[in-house]
Short mmCIF file of all heavy atoms in Angstrom, two decimals:
data_model
loop_
_atom_site.label_atom_id
_atom_site.label_comp_id
_atom_site.label_asym_id
_atom_site.label_seq_id
_atom_site.Cartn_x
_atom_site.Cartn_y
_atom_site.Cartn_z
N LYS A 11 96.92 94.10 110.44
CA LYS A 11 98.16 93.37 110.14
C LYS A 11 98.99 93.94 109.18
O LYS A 11 98.45 94.74 108.38
CB LYS A 11 97.78 91.88 109.67
CG LYS A 11 97.08 91.09 110.64
CD LYS A 11 96.90 89.64 110.11
CE LYS A 11 98.16 88.92 109.88
NZ LYS A 11 97.90 87.44 109.36
N GLU A 12 100.30 93.69 109.11
CA GLU A 12 101.23 94.27 108.16
C GLU A 12 100.94 93.66 106.78
O GLU A 12 100.43 92.54 106.70
CB GLU A 12 102.58 94.06 108.57
CG GLU A 12 103.04 94.96 109.90
CD GLU A 12 104.47 94.77 110.17
OE1 GLU A 12 105.27 94.67 109.18
OE2 GLU A 12 104.88 94.85 111.19
N ARG A 13 101.38 94.40 105.79
CA ARG A 13 101.29 93.95 104.51
C ARG A 13 102.33 92.83 104.34
O ARG A 13 103.42 92.88 104.76
CB ARG A 13 101.71 95.06 103.41
CG ARG A 13 101.54 94.69 102.02
CD ARG A 13 101.86 95.89 101.26
NE ARG A 13 100.99 97.11 101.42
CZ ARG A 13 101.23 98.28 101.06
NH1 ARG A 13 102.38 98.57 100.35
NH2 ARG A 13 100.40 99.31 101.40
N GLU A 14 101.86 91.59 103.63
CA GLU A 14 102.69 90.62 103.51
C GLU A 14 102.89 90.16 102.10
O GLU A 14 101.98 90.26 101.22
CB GLU A 14 102.18 89.38 104.36
CG GLU A 14 100.99 88.79 103.99
CD GLU A 14 100.67 87.52 104.78
OE1 GLU A 14 101.56 86.92 105.44
OE2 GLU A 14 99.52 87.05 104.69
N PHE A 15 103.95 89.64 101.70
CA PHE A 15 104.28 89.02 100.46
C PHE A 15 103.51 87.82 100.18
O PHE A 15 103.29 86.93 100.92
CB PHE A 15 105.89 88.72 100.33
CG PHE A 15 106.28 87.91 99.11
CD1 PHE A 15 106.16 88.60 97.91
CD2 PHE A 15 106.66 86.59 99.21
CE1 PHE A 15 106.66 87.90 96.73
CE2 PHE A 15 107.01 85.98 98.06
CZ PHE A 15 107.07 86.64 96.77
N VAL A 16 103.05 87.85 98.79
CA VAL A 16 102.30 86.66 98.39
C VAL A 16 103.06 86.01 97.24
O VAL A 16 103.37 84.75 97.30
CB VAL A 16 100.90 86.96 97.89
CG1 VAL A 16 100.22 85.83 97.24
CG2 VAL A 16 100.12 87.63 99.07
N ALA A 17 103.47 86.71 96.20
CA ALA A 17 104.05 86.14 95.01
C ALA A 17 104.64 87.20 94.17
O ALA A 17 104.30 88.35 94.26
CB ALA A 17 103.06 85.38 94.13
N TYR A 18 105.64 86.87 93.39
CA TYR A 18 106.24 87.78 92.38
C TYR A 18 106.51 87.01 91.15
O TYR A 18 106.77 85.82 91.21
CB TYR A 18 107.49 88.60 92.86
CG TYR A 18 108.74 87.93 93.01
CD1 TYR A 18 109.36 87.43 91.86
CD2 TYR A 18 109.32 87.76 94.29
CE1 TYR A 18 110.61 86.73 92.09
CE2 TYR A 18 110.56 87.14 94.43
CZ TYR A 18 111.26 86.60 93.41
OH TYR A 18 112.52 86.00 93.42
N ILE A 19 106.59 87.76 90.06
CA ILE A 19 107.03 87.22 88.78
C ILE A 19 108.04 88.30 88.21
O ILE A 19 107.68 89.42 88.09
CB ILE A 19 105.91 86.90 87.73
CG1 ILE A 19 106.52 86.33 86.58
CG2 ILE A 19 105.04 87.99 87.65
CD1 ILE A 19 105.45 85.59 85.64
N ASN A 20 109.26 87.89 88.01
CA ASN A 20 110.24 88.89 87.37
C ASN A 20 110.09 89.18 85.87
O ASN A 20 109.17 88.38 85.31
CB ASN A 20 111.61 88.58 87.89
CG ASN A 20 112.31 87.48 87.21
OD1 ASN A 20 111.76 86.91 86.21
ND2 ASN A 20 113.39 87.01 87.69
N ARG A 21 110.94 89.94 85.37
CA ARG A 21 110.80 90.27 83.92
C ARG A 21 111.16 89.19 83.08
O ARG A 21 110.86 89.10 81.75
CB ARG A 21 111.69 91.57 83.69
CG ARG A 21 113.05 91.30 83.92
CD ARG A 21 113.89 92.58 83.79
NE ARG A 21 113.89 93.11 82.53
CZ ARG A 21 114.45 94.35 82.03
NH1 ARG A 21 115.17 94.93 82.87
NH2 ARG A 21 114.32 94.65 80.76
N TYR A 22 111.78 88.03 83.56
CA TYR A 22 112.14 86.88 82.84
C TYR A 22 111.28 85.77 83.03
O TYR A 22 111.34 84.77 82.37
CB TYR A 22 113.63 86.48 83.23
CG TYR A 22 114.62 87.69 83.24
CD1 TYR A 22 115.13 88.05 84.41
CD2 TYR A 22 114.90 88.07 82.07
CE1 TYR A 22 116.06 89.02 84.49
CE2 TYR A 22 115.97 89.27 81.98
CZ TYR A 22 116.43 89.69 83.33
OH TYR A 22 117.39 90.70 83.33
N GLY A 23 110.23 85.97 83.93
CA GLY A 23 109.14 85.01 84.09
C GLY A 23 109.42 84.02 85.38
O GLY A 23 108.68 83.15 85.54
N THR A 24 110.59 84.27 85.94
CA THR A 24 110.85 83.52 87.19
C THR A 24 109.87 83.87 88.34
O THR A 24 109.64 85.19 88.49
CB THR A 24 112.27 83.80 87.73
OG1 THR A 24 113.12 83.32 86.59
CG2 THR A 24 112.57 83.04 88.93
N THR A 25 109.33 82.97 89.04
CA THR A 25 108.25 83.30 90.02
C THR A 25 108.80 82.84 91.47
O THR A 25 109.67 81.95 91.55
CB THR A 25 106.97 82.58 89.75
OG1 THR A 25 107.16 81.08 89.65
CG2 THR A 25 106.41 83.05 88.36
N ASP A 26 108.18 83.45 92.41
CA ASP A 26 108.40 83.01 93.85
C ASP A 26 107.16 83.19 94.60
O ASP A 26 106.43 84.09 94.16
CB ASP A 26 109.62 83.75 94.41
CG ASP A 26 110.03 83.13 95.72
OD1 ASP A 26 109.97 81.90 95.94
OD2 ASP A 26 110.76 83.90 96.58
N TYR A 27 106.87 82.49 95.67
CA TYR A 27 105.74 82.43 96.44
C TYR A 27 106.04 82.50 97.92
O TYR A 27 106.98 81.91 98.32
CB TYR A 27 104.93 81.27 96.13
CG TYR A 27 104.40 81.18 94.68
CD1 TYR A 27 105.10 80.63 93.69
CD2 TYR A 27 103.27 81.89 94.21
CE1 TYR A 27 104.78 80.49 92.35
CE2 TYR A 27 102.75 81.89 92.94
CZ TYR A 27 103.57 81.14 91.94
OH TYR A 27 103.21 81.16 90.70
N ALA A 28 105.13 83.03 98.65
CA ALA A 28 105.20 82.81 100.05
C ALA A 28 104.99 81.43 100.47
O ALA A 28 104.06 80.72 99.84
CB ALA A 28 104.19 83.71 100.77
N ASP A 29 105.55 80.87 101.54
CA ASP A 29 105.34 79.46 101.76
C ASP A 29 103.95 79.18 102.19
O ASP A 29 103.25 78.14 101.84
CB ASP A 29 106.18 79.17 103.17
CG ASP A 29 107.62 79.11 102.94
OD1 ASP A 29 108.07 78.97 101.66
OD2 ASP A 29 108.37 79.08 103.85
N SER A 30 103.13 80.13 102.63
CA SER A 30 101.75 79.97 102.96
C SER A 30 100.88 79.67 101.67
O SER A 30 99.62 79.31 101.82
CB SER A 30 101.22 81.18 103.71
OG SER A 30 101.33 82.44 103.01
N VAL A 31 101.34 80.15 100.54
CA VAL A 31 100.48 79.92 99.44
C VAL A 31 101.09 79.02 98.33
O VAL A 31 100.36 78.76 97.21
CB VAL A 31 100.27 81.33 98.72
CG1 VAL A 31 99.55 82.43 99.71
CG2 VAL A 31 101.42 81.89 98.01
N LYS A 32 102.28 78.53 98.53
CA LYS A 32 102.80 77.68 97.53
C LYS A 32 102.05 76.43 97.32
O LYS A 32 101.50 75.77 98.30
CB LYS A 32 104.28 77.16 98.02
CG LYS A 32 105.33 78.17 98.02
CD LYS A 32 106.58 77.72 98.35
CE LYS A 32 107.79 78.80 98.25
NZ LYS A 32 109.08 78.34 98.77
N GLY A 33 101.94 76.02 96.01
CA GLY A 33 101.06 74.91 95.75
C GLY A 33 99.65 75.31 95.47
O GLY A 33 98.86 74.43 95.04
N ARG A 34 99.11 76.49 95.91
CA ARG A 34 97.75 76.93 95.87
C ARG A 34 97.66 78.12 94.86
O ARG A 34 96.58 78.15 94.21
CB ARG A 34 97.18 77.20 97.11
CG ARG A 34 97.18 76.08 98.03
CD ARG A 34 96.55 76.34 99.52
NE ARG A 34 97.09 77.58 100.22
CZ ARG A 34 96.46 78.75 100.54
NH1 ARG A 34 95.20 78.89 100.08
NH2 ARG A 34 97.05 79.71 101.06
N PHE A 35 98.61 79.06 94.90
CA PHE A 35 98.47 80.23 94.00
C PHE A 35 99.51 80.12 92.85
O PHE A 35 100.57 79.64 93.05
CB PHE A 35 98.79 81.38 95.01
CG PHE A 35 97.80 81.72 96.01
CD1 PHE A 35 96.71 80.89 96.34
CD2 PHE A 35 97.75 83.04 96.56
CE1 PHE A 35 95.77 81.24 97.24
CE2 PHE A 35 96.93 83.33 97.70
CZ PHE A 35 96.01 82.55 98.03
N THR A 36 99.09 80.84 91.75
CA THR A 36 99.82 80.98 90.63
C THR A 36 99.89 82.38 90.13
O THR A 36 98.85 82.87 89.78
CB THR A 36 99.48 79.95 89.54
OG1 THR A 36 99.53 78.66 90.00
CG2 THR A 36 100.47 80.09 88.33
N ILE A 37 101.08 83.00 89.99
CA ILE A 37 101.16 84.27 89.40
C ILE A 37 101.58 84.20 87.90
O ILE A 37 102.35 83.29 87.57
CB ILE A 37 102.10 85.17 90.31
CG1 ILE A 37 102.10 86.55 89.62
CG2 ILE A 37 103.71 84.62 90.12
CD1 ILE A 37 102.92 87.64 90.64
N SER A 38 101.02 85.02 87.05
CA SER A 38 101.33 84.96 85.71
C SER A 38 101.24 86.45 85.18
O SER A 38 100.76 87.25 85.91
CB SER A 38 100.42 84.10 84.83
OG SER A 38 99.06 84.43 85.00
N ARG A 39 101.85 86.62 83.95
CA ARG A 39 101.80 87.96 83.33
C ARG A 39 101.55 87.84 81.86
O ARG A 39 101.91 86.80 81.27
CB ARG A 39 103.02 88.72 83.71
CG ARG A 39 104.39 88.21 83.04
CD ARG A 39 105.49 88.77 83.72
NE ARG A 39 105.48 90.37 83.55
CZ ARG A 39 106.37 91.16 84.27
NH1 ARG A 39 107.14 90.56 85.19
NH2 ARG A 39 106.31 92.33 84.06
N ASP A 40 100.90 88.86 81.38
CA ASP A 40 100.69 88.94 80.00
C ASP A 40 101.17 90.30 79.61
O ASP A 40 100.41 91.34 79.70
CB ASP A 40 99.27 88.78 79.56
CG ASP A 40 99.06 88.69 78.07
OD1 ASP A 40 99.87 89.27 77.32
OD2 ASP A 40 97.97 88.11 77.65
N ASN A 41 102.39 90.41 79.26
CA ASN A 41 103.01 91.78 78.88
C ASN A 41 102.29 92.46 77.71
O ASN A 41 102.27 93.71 77.79
CB ASN A 41 104.50 91.61 78.61
CG ASN A 41 105.36 91.16 79.81
OD1 ASN A 41 104.83 91.36 80.93
ND2 ASN A 41 106.52 90.58 79.64
N ALA A 42 101.85 91.66 76.77
CA ALA A 42 101.25 92.32 75.56
C ALA A 42 99.89 93.05 76.03
O ALA A 42 99.55 93.98 75.41
CB ALA A 42 100.84 91.34 74.51
N LYS A 43 99.25 92.53 77.16
CA LYS A 43 98.10 93.15 77.63
C LYS A 43 98.31 94.05 78.80
O LYS A 43 97.20 94.58 79.25
CB LYS A 43 97.06 92.03 77.96
CG LYS A 43 96.52 91.25 76.77
CD LYS A 43 95.54 90.22 77.11
CE LYS A 43 94.97 89.54 76.03
NZ LYS A 43 94.03 88.42 76.40
N ASN A 44 99.50 94.14 79.23
CA ASN A 44 99.81 94.87 80.52
C ASN A 44 98.92 94.41 81.54
O ASN A 44 98.44 95.21 82.39
CB ASN A 44 99.55 96.40 80.23
CG ASN A 44 100.96 97.17 79.97
OD1 ASN A 44 101.89 96.50 79.81
ND2 ASN A 44 100.80 98.46 79.92
N MET A 45 98.82 93.03 81.69
CA MET A 45 98.18 92.50 82.79
C MET A 45 98.91 91.52 83.63
O MET A 45 99.89 90.85 83.07
CB MET A 45 96.97 91.79 82.25
CG MET A 45 95.96 92.57 81.55
SD MET A 45 94.92 93.63 82.63
CE MET A 45 93.85 92.40 83.44
N VAL A 46 98.63 91.40 84.91
CA VAL A 46 99.25 90.37 85.83
C VAL A 46 98.06 89.82 86.53
O VAL A 46 97.07 90.37 86.82
CB VAL A 46 100.14 91.05 86.88
CG1 VAL A 46 100.84 90.02 87.74
CG2 VAL A 46 101.33 91.94 86.11
N TYR A 47 98.25 88.49 86.79
CA TYR A 47 97.13 87.64 87.40
C TYR A 47 97.50 86.86 88.68
O TYR A 47 98.82 86.56 88.63
CB TYR A 47 96.58 86.71 86.40
CG TYR A 47 96.15 87.39 85.15
CD1 TYR A 47 96.96 87.32 83.92
CD2 TYR A 47 94.90 87.99 84.98
CE1 TYR A 47 96.60 87.93 82.70
CE2 TYR A 47 94.47 88.47 83.76
CZ TYR A 47 95.36 88.50 82.63
OH TYR A 47 95.05 88.99 81.40
N LEU A 48 96.72 86.62 89.50
CA LEU A 48 97.07 85.73 90.54
C LEU A 48 95.83 84.81 90.59
O LEU A 48 94.68 85.14 90.93
CB LEU A 48 97.11 86.33 91.95
CG LEU A 48 97.53 85.61 93.11
CD1 LEU A 48 98.97 85.13 92.88
CD2 LEU A 48 97.37 86.27 94.35
N GLN A 49 96.10 83.40 90.24
CA GLN A 49 95.08 82.43 90.41
C GLN A 49 95.20 81.91 91.77
O GLN A 49 96.27 81.35 92.20
CB GLN A 49 95.33 81.49 89.20
CG GLN A 49 94.38 80.16 89.35
CD GLN A 49 92.97 80.61 88.98
OE1 GLN A 49 92.77 81.24 88.02
NE2 GLN A 49 92.08 80.06 89.79
N MET A 50 94.17 81.79 92.54
CA MET A 50 94.13 81.37 93.89
C MET A 50 93.16 80.20 93.89
O MET A 50 91.96 80.29 93.75
CB MET A 50 93.65 82.56 94.76
CG MET A 50 94.56 83.75 94.71
SD MET A 50 94.00 85.05 95.89
CE MET A 50 92.47 85.49 95.00
N ASN A 51 93.77 79.03 94.34
CA ASN A 51 92.99 77.82 94.48
C ASN A 51 93.02 77.47 95.93
O ASN A 51 93.91 77.72 96.70
CB ASN A 51 93.56 76.75 93.55
CG ASN A 51 93.44 77.03 92.11
OD1 ASN A 51 92.58 77.73 91.66
ND2 ASN A 51 94.50 76.63 91.29
N SER A 52 92.17 76.44 96.25
CA SER A 52 92.03 75.93 97.62
C SER A 52 92.23 77.04 98.64
O SER A 52 93.02 76.88 99.67
CB SER A 52 93.17 74.94 97.80
OG SER A 52 93.11 73.78 96.80
N LEU A 53 91.24 78.02 98.50
CA LEU A 53 91.32 79.17 99.35
C LEU A 53 90.98 78.92 100.76
O LEU A 53 90.11 77.86 101.02
CB LEU A 53 90.45 80.32 98.90
CG LEU A 53 91.08 81.00 97.65
CD1 LEU A 53 89.96 81.75 96.87
CD2 LEU A 53 92.17 82.06 98.24
#
């Protein structure tokens, strides 16, 4: 399958999600640690 969008978080903290994961996944970032996370629930 083709690569598909899941989620993004912009430099201001605004997020967006694919309809297929809304309400289940959460993207977050920790700029001080140079880390980005994706919490996936109800998989």
Side-chain angles (χ1 to χ4, degrees):
K11 298 180 65 177
E12 292 188 33
R13 189 178 301 168
E14 67 174 345
F15 168 72
V16 176
Y18 73 68
I19 182 166
N20 74 8
R21 59 189 298 183
Y22 311 110
T24 300
T25 60
D26 195 21
Y27 299 89
D29 288 342
S30 59
V31 307
K32 283 181 180 176
R34 300 189 296 121
F35 291 10
T36 303
I37 188 171
S38 61
R39 66 193 301 164
D40 186 338
N41 291 342
K43 295 182 178 179
N44 260 7
M45 296 288 291
V46 182
Y47 307 97
L48 186 68
Q49 177 67 47
M50 302 180 289
N51 299 325
S52 302
L53 282 161

